[in-house]
């Protein structure tokens, strides 16, 4: 067995090889010269198979597998997305995200340069969101058994003292806020794949919103439910809330913010922006008497300048979401059955 | 858009389709009729994107992506493996595993029957290990962009009071214990892939060992380091310990337990059982004066009946692992450079 320096990846490797996933010296080289180069957490640098982090419970935990295609898109990439998506899910539990675990499934032949770009992007997103990647894992599958890179991130965070959010707390009369324009992420990805992005100023909204959510929870008591509208978009979140709370939702479609570029692209693609994924927005349901204060608070935060009040919770039509359309009619805002919009995230 | 009953998967679906991963009604049907059928955690049944669990810190967290090929093997399958592997990694941090997150990347066309078998196996493994899957995620990639199913599990647990284990605590004079025969898992998988398993009574050692590790930590104070020898096997763990502690390891190869079937298969394949993955064993490094008591304690536990004392930590040859061979010579027990042994786990 040859002994080689462990810390010089570039000299040895231009592409991911099966050996990088087999737990031997090549794996160690990949971890030390690439992952540790970008990810500063002392716990990660211990190179244990796990990490110990100083969280006092109760603990929120969320996991997401990211398989987005393409890997790089206006406004983000799979690395940034994998950090923001999980940070946001932890925040939606009413918790302050602190630590992430990251697991990679790499396809043999992925260029090291692409992997490096992704890891660097994760590191930057972590710094922006105030979280650390504390442990990880890397596997390699043969060519044709994967698609360049899949990343699964799992995040944990301590639930804010006294905070308990969940759809079962939703009550008729509650107001529904959204933190900004909806549908940007999913529309951008699908427009790219369809090749209709030229000339449209599309961009994913991919961003961490944990700071904004923490500000809301700390200053507005009694928020009933929070959710980030990812796959299935705003429509899916509202339908889940309606089903799980046994209430109905009434939405004023004209009040739902949609960026002009996303509206244009969605029109071309025949899609409803309200069913398209966001990756940097959240929906908050809260008592009517707190709604104005919450909206003012959100609009004062740069990331939520486009926040809007979009409707309310009603006792009528439990389990259903009804939207007043822009032309004054009403429509059932349903969840799509499964039109193939895969690999949005 | 058609409305369909959400809870009847079998009627609609025999194989995983792209729609099952797109976040709409088909995804909901898969989650409700398959995942929730087997996985009982109330937190999971909330169908939030995350879960809140009552853990008081400090917290151990570990993640692993499982891409094992084949999916089903003697002694286990990717589902059981994904639970045991992560449960064990949390235990190696000196923590009692409590909750898991599970993320699936499914290839279009996977049969629902296979997926169900895997999820049922995960549920059984969770029950055996005393843990719950509290949150999860499912993505679907097109045919040829994955390989049936990849599972990433992330586990959390509370570190036992007063326990702090890690390679930096290893000292010359410490003894090295292993909890049972090594190399069974990796050898079984490679023998299956090579088609030489017939006639050999091979089987993976895949099992949770958290209960045994907790018993050790609670009754033997001062354990210095713990690690489960997965990819890279015993050799990789000892080399990591040697490097990270700045000590040397001296191993008596004749004392290292290896099952006859695994030895026979490894001989045929030209592999060293000490470099082959285990998935239900652990290595403990502890002060010499505690070693006999610890070994007796382990051997009294059914899962660790084959535990053995295999060597000791020395001040000589720091960073290196030297084995006295069965024929009385000495060899450097190295980590392999990256012979392609991928997809062992």
């Amino acid at each position: 067995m040859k002994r080689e320096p462990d810390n010089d990846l570039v000299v040895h490797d231009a592409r991911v090889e099966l050996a990088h996933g087999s737990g031997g010296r090549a794996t160690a080289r990949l971890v030390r010269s690439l992952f540790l180069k970008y990810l500063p957490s002392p716990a990660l640098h211990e190179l244990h198979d796990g990490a110990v982090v100083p969280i006092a419970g109760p603990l929120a935990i969320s996991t997401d597998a990211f398989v987005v295609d393409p890997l790089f898109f206006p406004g983000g990439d799979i690395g940034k997305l994998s950090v923001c998506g999980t940070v946001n899910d932890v925040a939606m539990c009413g918790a302050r995200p602190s630590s992430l675990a990251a697991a990679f499934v790499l396809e043999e032949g992925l260029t090291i340069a692409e992997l490096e770009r992704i890891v660097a992007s994760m590191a930057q997103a972590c710094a922006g969101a105030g979280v650390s990647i504390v442990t990880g894992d890397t596997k390699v599958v043969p060519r044709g058994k994967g698609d360049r890179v899949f990343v699964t991130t799992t995040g944990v965070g301590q639930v804010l003292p006294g905070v308990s959010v969940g759809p079962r707390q939703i009550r008729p009369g509650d107001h529904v806020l959204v933190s900004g324009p909806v549908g940007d992420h999913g529309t951008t990805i699908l427009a790219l794949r369809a090749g209709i992005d030229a000339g449209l100023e599309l961009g994913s909204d991919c961003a961490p919103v944990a700071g904004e959510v923490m500000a809301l929870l700390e200053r507005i008591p009694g928020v009933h439910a929070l959710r980030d509208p990812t796959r299935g978009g705003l429509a899916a979140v509202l339908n889940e809330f309606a089903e799980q709370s046994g209430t109905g939702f009434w939405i004023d479609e004209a009040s739902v913010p949609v960026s002009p570029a996303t509206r244009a692209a969605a029109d071309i693609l025949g899609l409803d922006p309200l069913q398209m994924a966001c990756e940097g927005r959240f929906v908050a349901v809260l008592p009517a008497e707190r709604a104005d204060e919450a909206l003012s608070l959100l609009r004062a935060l740069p990331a939520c300048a486009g926040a809007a009040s979009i409707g309310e919770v009603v006792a009528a039509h439990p389990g259903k979401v009804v939207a007043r359309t822009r032309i004054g009619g009403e429509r059932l805002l349903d969840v799509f059955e499964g039109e193939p919009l895969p690999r949005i995230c």
Side-chain angles (χ1 to χ4, degrees), chain A:
Chain A
M1 294 176 197
K2 44 190 161 88
R3 303 294 301 237
E4 294 182 1
D6 272 1
N7 295 315
D8 191 353
L9 185 71
V10 179
V11 174
H12 296 281
D13 313 271
R15 288 181 182 272
V16 171
E17 297 167 13
L18 287 172
H20 286 124
S22 51
R25 234 169 253 291
T27 305
R29 207 162 59 224
L30 182 70
V31 169
R32 289 181 188 184
S33 64
L34 202 159
F35 291 107
L36 296 191
K37 176 174 159 192
Y38 290 99
L39 305 173
S41 156
L44 185 69
H45 284 246
E46 290 287 323
L47 290 177
H48 198 335
D49 290 332
V52 173
V53 290
I55 289 182
L59 179 90
I61 179 168
S62 181
T63 195
D64 261 323
F66 293 89
V67 300
V68 64
D69 175 30
L71 295 178
F72 304 94
F73 47 82
D77 55 64
I78 190 171
K80 180 181 180 186
L81 186 61
S82 71
V83 170
C84 297
T86 291
V87 159
N88 292 347
D89 281 345
V90 172
M92 298 308 141
C93 296
R96 188 184 303 280
S98 58
S99 300
L100 299 187
F104 296 82
V105 176
L106 308 177
E107 185 189 13
E108 182 189 12
L110 174 73
T111 65
I112 295 290
E114 282 174 303
L115 181 59
E116 183 155 10
R117 189 174 157 196
I118 291 163
V119 175
S121 175
M122 293 178 79
Q124 193 178 6
C126 282
V131 299
S132 299
I133 293 176
V134 296
T135 191
D137 185 40
T138 306
K139 296 286 160 59
V140 180
V141 295
R143 270 172 221 272
K145 300 292 186 185
D147 195 11
R148 297 198 290 165
V149 52
F150 303 143
V151 187
T152 297
T153 47
T154 307
V156 294
Q158 190 174 342
V159 177
L160 295 195
V163 166
S164 169
V165 292
R168 288 179 213 294
Q169 302 186 38
I170 293 170
R171 299 283 175 270
D174 283 356
H175 280 208
V176 182
L177 308 185
V178 65
S179 70
V182 301
D184 290 345
H185 176 75
T187 308
T188 298
I189 298 293
L190 288 179
L192 271 179
R193 294 217 294 252
I196 60 126
D197 53 308
L200 295 171
E201 294 197 348
L202 287 166
S204 169
D205 55 318
C206 178
V209 295
E212 290 73 16
V213 170
M214 296 304 106
L216 180 70
L217 290 172
E218 284 172 347
R219 288 165 58 187
I220 307 288
V223 172
H224 285 159
L226 292 166
R227 194 72 58 94
D228 54 337
T230 55
R231 280 184 296 178
L234 180 66
V237 165
L238 298 178
N239 273 279
E240 283 168 30
F241 279 174
E243 276 181 40
Q244 291 174 17
S245 64
T247 63
F249 276 67
W250 183 91
I251 299 298
D252 176 31
E253 213 171 312
S255 304
V256 178
V258 178
S259 72
T262 287
R263 187 173 299 287
D267 280 351
I268 295 170
L269 293 164
L271 296 167
D272 181 354
L274 276 56
Q275 293 190 324
M276 305 305 291
C278 313
E279 290 289 350
R281 307 289 178 223
F282 61 94
V283 178
V285 181
L286 72 179
E289 62 270 26
R290 298 286 185 185
D292 287 348
E293 190 187 352
L295 189 58
S296 300
L297 183 155
L298 289 179
R299 284 181 170 167
L301 302 170
C304 302
S309 176
I310 62 170
E312 61 186 277
V313 180
V314 295
H317 55 81
K320 301 219 179 335
V321 182
V322 174
R324 185 171 65 184
T325 66
R326 296 171 152 266
I327 54 169
E330 287 200 341
R331 67 165 175 140
L332 194 64
L333 186 60
D334 206 352
V335 183
F336 54 88
E337 156 63 21
E339 283 88 306
L341 308 180
R343 306 191 68 183
I344 286 293
C345 57

